[in-house]
Amino acid sequence: MIERVFGAAPGPLPPAAASTWIRVFDRRPQSAARLVCFPHGAGSARAFEGLSGALPEYIELLAVQYPGREDRRGEPFAEDIAALAAGAADALAPYADRPLFLLGHSMGALVAFEAARLMQHDPTLVARLFVSAARPPSVDWEEPDLDRTPDEVIADGLRQLGGVPEVMLRDQDFLTEVLRIARADCRLVRAYRCSPEIALKTPLTVLVADADPKNSVDRVRGWSRHTSAEHSTETHSGGHFGLTERATEIATLLARYIDDDLAAPTANVPADLVRELYLAGHGDRLTSDLTTLAEAARDVLPPAVYGFVDGDAGTGETRRTNREAFGRWRLLPRVLRGVTRRDLSVSLLGQRLPVPVLLAPVSAQTVVHPDGELASVRGAADAGVPFVLSSFSSHSLEDVAAAAGPGPRWFQLYWPSDDELAVSLIRRAEASGYTALVLTVDAPTFGYRPVDLDNSFLPFINGVGIANYTSDPVFQAALPAGSGIETAVKHWASVSGNPALTWARLPWLRERTALPILVKGVLHPEDARLALAGGADGVIVSNHGGRQLDGTMAALDSLPAVRAAVGETIPVLMDSGVRTGNDVVKALALGADAVLYGRPYQYGLAVAGQRGVHHVLRCLLAEFDLALAMIGCGSVESIGVDFLAPAGVLATPG
C-alpha cells in the first residue's frame, strides 16, 4: 500500500476525456480495444504513460485518475473503494463502443474488481480483468495504519518497494504530498471488505512480479475463487512496480491476452439470436417477421379480441402516420469503425437499464392470453427488458411485481377522480418495488374505435382489466357490503378517469410520491415544458399508438421539438409506431433516451404466452444490436443525428 505517486517526472497533464476521471496519453481512434488502468495507492494516472506508448496501435490505454491528487487535488478523497469504482465505471460509458480490458495495480486491483462488478449488467462490456501486485479481495491485506505511522517509517517503506528515486524522497514538498495521499488511500484499503463468495463472470488474469517483496504466486492464488470464468496467473520480471517499469515486457504480455480475447467469438449478445435461428432450421419455432406474427395472432384470437389489440381510432390515419414518419428517415452508416461489441445499456432516472427499450403499458392482457401481464412481465424479464404495468391490468400490481423478480418495473397511472384512491395506488406501487410513475394524460376518455364499437367489445365491462381497483382497500371501502362484479365495474367506471384534470393539479401529485414521474402522451413542446414546471421528471412523446385520437402528429415528428423544448438532460422517451430495431436507432438519434414497445409484444403473447413475448423482444434487440454494428456505432450513448439522413438524395457537404 505504501507506494510511489508518479510514474514519470512531473509535466503537463494530458487532456481529460469524457470527465475528470479518464486520461488518454496516446489517442488511437481506430483502436480495436481499450485497456483501462487503475493506479496503485498514492498513485496517479501518469504511472501508465510508458505502458501506453509500448502497447500496439490497436490498443488504446485509458488511465483512471482518482480524486485528491494532481489536477484533482482540490477534490475530497473518496470515502471508500466502491466510490472510486462507481466514478470510474460511469466515466467509462462513452468508451464502451470497444471491448474494455480492466487492469488494476495493487490497490487499483480492488478498484478495478469492483468496477467490473458494477459493469456486469452488460456481459459484453468488460472482456477481461487483469490484476497486478495484489492479494485477493477477500483476504486481509494486513496493511499498517499509516495515520499512526511516522513520516520517516513510511519513507523507508517507499525505499524498500522501489519505484521512487531517492532524490524525490529527499524533496520535502514531494514527500509531504506522497504521505498525504498514501494515508488517505491506506484508509480505503483497510476499510475494504469482500465476501469470498463474490465472483465475476469475467475472465481474470493475475500478474505477479518475480521480485515483488509484498506478493508471490502463493499469495495471489485466492483470486481464482472470484471469477466463474477462465482464470490464469502470469509471472513477469521486476519488483512491486515491474508492471510500469518494464513497459515493453508487460505490453507484450497484455497484447497476447487481448488478441486472443478479440479473436474469440462474441457470446451472450442480442445479435446471437440470428445464428441461433439459422441453426434451428424450420422446426417448431416462432416467426421473426412481425407481419406474419400479427397474422398468427389473428388466427388464435377471437375476432373481437384481435380487433381490440390491433384496432385504431377512426380511420387509422394516426397509426399510418406514425409508420410513415419512420420511413422519412434513412440510416447513414459509417464503415470500418472497428465496432466489435456494442453497449446497449442506458442511464435513465438514476438507474442503468440494460437496453433502451421498455414494454409499454397495455391494458386487460388476459383477453389475449390467460396469464396476461404475468406472462408478459416474465417474458420481459427473460429478455432483460424493463416492464411498465398498466393501471388497467388483469392482475394486481402486487402479483405482477412478484412475477417480475428483480427486473426493473414502472407503474402507469391513469389518475382517478378519487384522490384518495390515486394515493393508495401510488403507495402500493412504491411498496411493490416499482421505480417510476408513468402518468398517462392523452386519454381523458376512450377514443372512437370503430372495430371495438362494431363488436361491442370492451373488456372492462366484464370486469377484465380492473384488478388494481378491486384489490385496492380504498376502492373496496367505497363499495356496498356484499357487492358483486357489476357494482365494482360501475364504481370503476365512475372513478377510473378524470377528464377535469389540469396542469395545476400536477404539483399535488408530485408532493405525494418520491418516485420519478414521467408524463406520457405529450406531443406539443409547450406541454412538455408545463409537465416539467409541474414537477415531472421527464416526458414520453406519444399519441397512444393511434388508439385515441385519429389524425394527430406522428410521435416521431414531435420528438425533436419536444427534446429541444426540455433540453438535453431531461429524460425524454417515445412510443407509437416503433416496430423494428432500426426504428429504435432512429428514435434515439432524434432525441429519445429510450422507447416503449407496445402492440408487437401482444402478438407474441397471443401466440405463445411468456415464450412469445420473450421471442418478440429478442428479435427486436437482435435487430437493434446488428443495426448498431452496421452503422458503426458502439453504444447507445454514441447514437446521434449524424447516423441519419432524410429520405432522398444525400445533401452535398457544405
Side-chain angles (χ1 to χ4, degrees), residues 70-363:
E70 291 194 346
D71 60 324
R72 302 188 69 184
R73 191 181 190 282
E75 301 177 42
F77 289 113
E79 295 183 357
D80 52 38
I81 294 289
L84 289 178
D90 286 345
L92 289 172
Y95 298 97
D97 58 331
R98 317 285 163 82
L100 298 179
F101 294 79
L102 307 191
L103 166 61
H105 182 61
S106 197
M107 182 191 86
L110 301 180
V111 185
F113 174 75
E114 290 297 331
R117 286 181 64 193
L118 290 174
M119 298 167 76
Q120 283 194 126
H121 62 82
D122 184 341
T124 70
L125 278 182
V126 179
R128 180 175 294 271
L129 172 64
F130 297 98
V131 293
S132 164
R135 299 182 196 180
S138 55
V139 171
D140 183 357
W141 282 26
E142 302 175 348
E143 293 293 329
D145 185 353
L146 296 193
D147 288 326
R148 298 174 179 271
T149 304
D151 293 357
E152 59 272 17
V153 175
I154 300 177
D156 286 342
L158 288 169
R159 291 186 179 93
Q160 293 172 14
L161 285 179
V164 182
E166 181 64 27
V167 65
M168 299 181 75
L169 290 176
R170 291 177 181 174
D171 183 322
Q172 190 56 50
D173 289 341
F174 175 84
L175 184 60
T176 299
E177 182 67 1
V178 171
L179 298 178
R180 182 184 73 88
I181 302 172
R183 287 184 167 116
D185 287 352
C186 183
R187 289 192 289 271
L188 300 183
V189 175
R190 286 171 57 84
Y192 178 76
R193 298 290 184 273
C194 176
S195 168
E197 285 74 38
I198 292 177
L200 301 174
K201 299 176 182 178
T202 305
L204 174 66
T205 298
V206 182
L207 307 180
V208 186
D210 57 13
D212 186 349
K214 294 186 67 174
N215 300 283
S216 65
V217 172
D218 285 340
R219 285 183 169 181
V220 302
R221 290 191 195 281
W223 273 104
S224 60
R225 72 164 60 100
H226 292 290
T227 181
S228 59
E230 171 255 321
H231 167 266
S232 59
T233 301
E234 293 280 349
T235 303
H236 60 86
S237 62
H240 191 66
F241 292 104
L243 180 83
T244 52
E245 292 172 336
R246 287 166 168 74
T248 301
E249 176 187 349
I250 298 302
T252 301
L253 188 160
L254 296 173
R256 172 161 52 87
Y257 276 93
I258 292 173
D259 289 349
D260 289 345
D261 288 340
L262 291 178
T266 303
N268 298 320
V269 295
D272 286 347
L273 174 66
V274 173
R275 180 172 64 249
E276 178 184 318
L277 292 179
Y278 279 128
L279 293 175
H282 291 287
D284 178 23
R285 71 181 198 191
L286 288 163
T287 177
S288 300
D289 178 72
L290 275 183
T291 300
T292 305
L293 189 65
E295 293 172 353
R298 185 196 297 270
D299 291 341
V300 300
L301 293 175
V305 173
Y306 184 80
F308 177 74
V309 171
D310 196 63
D312 305 302
T315 64
E317 180 183 352
T318 297
R319 179 177 180 173
R320 292 190 296 273
T321 300
N322 283 333
R323 292 302 305 144
E324 290 165 359
F326 282 97
R328 285 193 289 272
W329 290 98
R330 298 288 185 262
L331 297 177
L332 187 61
R334 301 298 307 277
V335 298
L336 296 181
R337 304 276 285 228
V339 176
T340 57
R341 303 185 186 211
R342 283 76 61 193
D343 177 13
L344 306 189
S345 65
V346 60
S347 292
L348 198 60
L349 300 176
Q351 290 184 301
R352 192 74 180 174
L353 302 182
V355 291
V357 177
L358 300 92
L359 282 197
V362 176
S363 63

Side-chain angles (χ1 to χ4, degrees), residues 8-27:
L13 286 171
S19 77
T20 56
W21 285 88
I22 305 298
R23 302 289 176 271
V24 184
F25 302 102
D26 302 285
R27 296 188 181 278

Side-chain angles (χ1 to χ4, degrees), residues 597-631:
Y597 197 59
R599 220 177 313 223
Y601 86 83
Q602 290 292 288
Y603 302 146
L605 177 65
V607 173
Q610 175 181 338
R611 185 171 70 93
V613 173
H614 180 216
H615 178 75
V616 167
L617 293 176
R618 288 193 70 198
C619 291
L620 175 74
L621 297 179
E623 187 176 22
F624 176 57
D625 188 24
L626 289 168
L628 290 190
M630 287 188 278
I631 67 172

Side-chain angles (χ1 to χ4, degrees), residues 497-567:
N498 195 352
L501 285 172
T502 67
W503 289 114
R505 294 294 320 280
L506 188 55
W508 180 92
L509 187 68
R510 172 72 285 169
E511 292 172 0
R512 279 153 181 82
T513 181
L515 292 178
I517 297 175
L518 294 163
V519 175
K520 180 179 183 293
V522 170
L523 292 176
H524 198 293
E526 186 57 31
D527 281 343
R529 294 190 187 98
L530 289 170
L532 299 181
D537 299 278
V539 296
I540 301 176
V541 180
S542 170
N543 57 31
H544 222 98
R547 293 172 62 80
Q548 279 299 104
L549 177 62
D550 202 22
T552 72
M553 286 280 296
L556 190 72
D557 286 341
S558 291
L559 176 60
V562 171
R563 167 55 76 191
V566 302

